[in-house]
Amino acid sequence: MALYEGPVQNLIDELGRLPGVGPKSAQRIAFYLLKAAPEDAKRLAQSIVDAKDRVSWCRRCFNIAEGELCAFCKDERRDATLLCIVEEPRDIVAIERTAEFRGRYHVLQGAISPIEGVGPDQLRVKELLHRISGEGVEEIILATNPNIEGEATAMYLARLLKPAGIRVTRIASGLPVGGDLEYADEVTLGRAFEGRREVDA
Amino acid sequence: MSGLYRDSGVVLRTIKLGEADRIITVFTQGNGKVRAVAKGVRKTTSKFGARLEPTTHVALQCYRGRELDVVTQAETIEANRALREGYGLLTHAIPMLEAVDQVAQEREPNPALYRMLTGALRTLATTRSPVVTPAFFWKLLSLEGFHPLLDACARCSENDAPLVAFDADDGGMLCAPCARGGGRPVSPAAFDVLQRMLGGGLNSVLADPAGPAVGEVERLAVTVLEHHIERRLRSATLL
């Protein structure tokens, strides 16, 4: 359906391959770019090229990194005895916002999903085992998503890591701050009760 | 047919949709397999996100759409929480869900299959028996009109000779002479488990301790089921 001239159609086709951008949106963005000031469009093009050239996976934790190691692995002030396992780099950002954790991370780049045919071999599990033996890790915190894939991954890793004699913990699950108890589902509320703790007043 | 409806069903699988939504596939009692959008369930503030995870048995209220319905309310009937908290249980529960997803038709009620699935998940969660999944597969085949022939050779109808192999094309056990022309060898112990499983002795098999025979029956069940649905059961690789 090449209705436009070469370069315009190419732009529309390329934009249309982005997630969540349909043909109509692609067309709108393409015409916005054509109308925009040349330096704006060039800046966008240059930032895409820069990001693709300079950003890769951290050699140690598989977070996104500029260079060999990511910012968390380079930072010597971080506690190397604590290792937090997450599914995606975006999860690190969420955990960093809490300012509660000062250890290092390991990104699995996915979760075990039996129904999608994703097993432990497709994740960065082997690399994780290498790290544990070499880096003096004392505690592993499993911070995968609390859905069926994340739970399966956490259980699998716990089974794998427990025999190595390392403390393996799972992040707690419970009620969201600002929510109403009556709307909580049974599983979450049940876990919140299991994980209750004494109040220090 | 449009508007709201209520039904209960088992969540078979979920697919991420957009930023915070999911498409869930539910096997319901009254509407067969239904695919519905659950909006905002990936946000932590979602009111029913946790209830729409695979293996959960839920009561749903949905709005009927053209292709996909929209979930408006969900309440748990059975959380089957044990299944989510043991790796071994989960890897046994997911293949049952995948098998039902393959076999069930959209918007075609199948009450017998519904009872079987909810029963099997409940039994797996309470007894933690490794027999549940293979038994479910065999009963599913039987329900689909593929009841295996176990009391005589499926090829020559000989019923005196011992039966030593299984052939998916013939749909049953084979005697020793016929088994030379193909078929998968079955040990006497596994054959005994299979016979009791399908012959009304399921409770006695459930009480058995896990042994190599159950594993053999399980692998055979997966092979025959895959032969029947003409597709691989992806989650069965974790069994």
Side-chain angles (χ1 to χ4, degrees):
Chain A
M1 203 185 63
L3 295 176
Y4 295 102
E5 296 203 13
V8 182
Q9 189 61 42
N10 282 348
L11 180 58
I12 294 173
D13 289 347
E14 289 303 320
L15 289 169
R17 285 161 61 176
L18 299 174
V21 180
K24 208 72 185 168
S25 306
Q27 195 177 322
R28 202 180 72 239
I29 298 167
F31 275 91
Y32 170 82
L33 289 173
L34 288 175
K35 266 197 200 159
E39 59 270 24
D40 284 351
K42 289 228 172 75
R43 210 170 43 241
L44 172 66
Q46 194 56 45
S47 51
I48 294 175
V49 171
D50 283 354
K52 264 328 254 189
D53 281 351
R54 303 226 308 261
V55 178
S56 58
W57 304 120
C58 170
R59 184 164 53 83
R60 197 191 282 168
C61 73
F62 300 96
N63 185 15
I64 41 169
E66 201 177 327
E68 287 261 292
L69 293 174
C70 72
F72 304 110
C73 288
K74 268 190 224 153
D75 190 348
E76 289 299 327
R77 287 167 302 173
R78 286 193 161 255
D79 187 351
T81 59
L82 285 177
L83 187 63
C84 178
I85 318 265
V86 294
E87 289 179 22
E88 300 288 345
R90 280 172 295 179
D91 300 332
I92 294 185
V93 177
I95 295 172
E96 279 301 304
R97 274 205 301 260
T98 65
E100 290 279 340
F101 181 68
R102 295 293 299 161
R104 294 244 162 91
Y105 293 97
H106 187 85
V107 183
L108 293 171
Q109 299 189 335
I112 294 176
S113 172
I115 241 166
E116 310 286 339
V118 180
D121 299 343
Q122 279 103 305
L123 307 177
R124 304 283 184 180
V125 173
K126 235 184 286 138
E127 291 87 343
L128 173 64
L129 295 178
H130 275 295
R131 284 187 75 177
I132 289 162
S133 46
E135 285 178 36
V137 178
E138 282 166 21
E139 178 177 349
I140 289 190
I141 303 164
L142 301 169
T144 50
N145 286 330
N147 54 27
I148 207 121
E149 289 91 7
E151 297 285 1
T153 314
M155 287 187 290
Y156 174 82
L157 290 177
R159 268 202 342 188
L160 198 68
L161 299 171
K162 273 271 167 72
I166 307 167
R167 188 174 132 99
V168 180
T169 53
R170 174 90 172 107
I171 50 163
S173 94
L175 301 169
V177 174
D180 272 15
L181 202 71
E182 63 167 317
Y183 286 117
D185 66 279
E186 300 73 14
V187 178
T188 310
L189 195 52
R191 286 194 189 170
F193 262 87
E194 266 177 21
R196 70 186 184 278
R197 57 179 161 190
E198 219 158 300
V199 185
D200 294 321
Chain B
M1 284 246 285
S2 70
L4 285 170
Y5 67 93
R6 281 159 184 265
D7 206 338
S8 57
V10 176
V11 182
L12 300 179
R13 64 178 297 184
T14 61
I15 310 166
K16 287 181 184 177
L17 175 73
E19 273 298 303
D21 308 338
R22 275 211 180 97
I23 295 178
I24 59 163
T25 308
V26 200
F27 184 62
T28 64
Q29 188 169 25
N31 290 277
K33 191 168 80 175
V34 168
R35 296 194 335 127
V37 179
K39 293 203 166 151
V41 288
R42 279 153 67 201
K43 291 186 190 156
T44 51
T45 49
S46 168
K47 288 202 284 279
F48 50 70
R51 298 182 177 131
L52 298 177
E53 287 286 308
T55 70
T56 323
H57 186 192
V58 283
L60 288 173
Q61 180 171 290
C62 293
Y63 193 82
R64 200 179 292 276
R66 256 181 311 180
E67 262 188 44
L68 295 169
D69 298 354
V70 180
V71 182
T72 54
Q73 278 177 38
E75 266 176 30
T76 313
I77 299 174
E78 288 167 294
N80 290 324
R81 221 178 116 185
L83 298 182
R84 287 203 230 168
E85 286 164 12
Y87 188 67
L89 292 183
L90 188 64
T91 52
H92 274 85
I94 299 285
M96 294 201 279
L97 302 180
E98 193 185 350
V100 171
D101 190 16
Q102 299 287 354
V103 166
Q105 300 294 314
E106 288 199 22
R107 307 236 188 258
E108 263 182 44
N110 189 340
L113 183 57
Y114 178 79
R115 276 196 304 276
M116 238 170 69
L117 180 62
T118 51
L121 289 174
R122 195 181 307 130
T123 315
L124 184 62
T126 50
T127 66
R128 296 163 180 259
S129 165
V131 178
V132 175
T133 304
F136 179 80
F137 284 163
W138 285 111
K139 300 260 176 194
L140 178 66
L141 282 163
S142 183
L143 189 72
E144 285 291 295
F146 189 80
H147 190 84
L149 201 58
L150 299 178
D151 45 8
C153 175
R155 199 170 288 167
C156 65
S157 307
E158 176 72 59
N159 55 8
D160 289 331
L163 302 168
V164 296
F166 194 95
D167 191 281
D169 274 323
D170 286 307
M173 295 291 292
L174 300 179
C175 65
C178 289
R180 267 180 234 124
R184 180 180 166 137
V186 176
S187 71
F191 183 43
D192 171 60
V193 169
L194 187 55
Q195 269 180 318
R196 281 192 289 152
M197 212 178 251
L198 285 163
L202 187 55
N203 281 329
S204 83
V205 189
L206 281 172
D208 278 1
V214 172
E216 196 183 335
V217 171
E218 184 167 72
R219 284 187 299 277
L220 184 65
V222 171
T223 312
V224 178
L225 190 63
E226 284 178 346
H227 179 86
H228 177 66
I229 61 177
E230 297 179 328
R231 206 173 292 183
R232 297 266 302 148
L233 269 187
R234 280 199 277 194
S235 53
T237 52
L238 294 181
L239 277 174

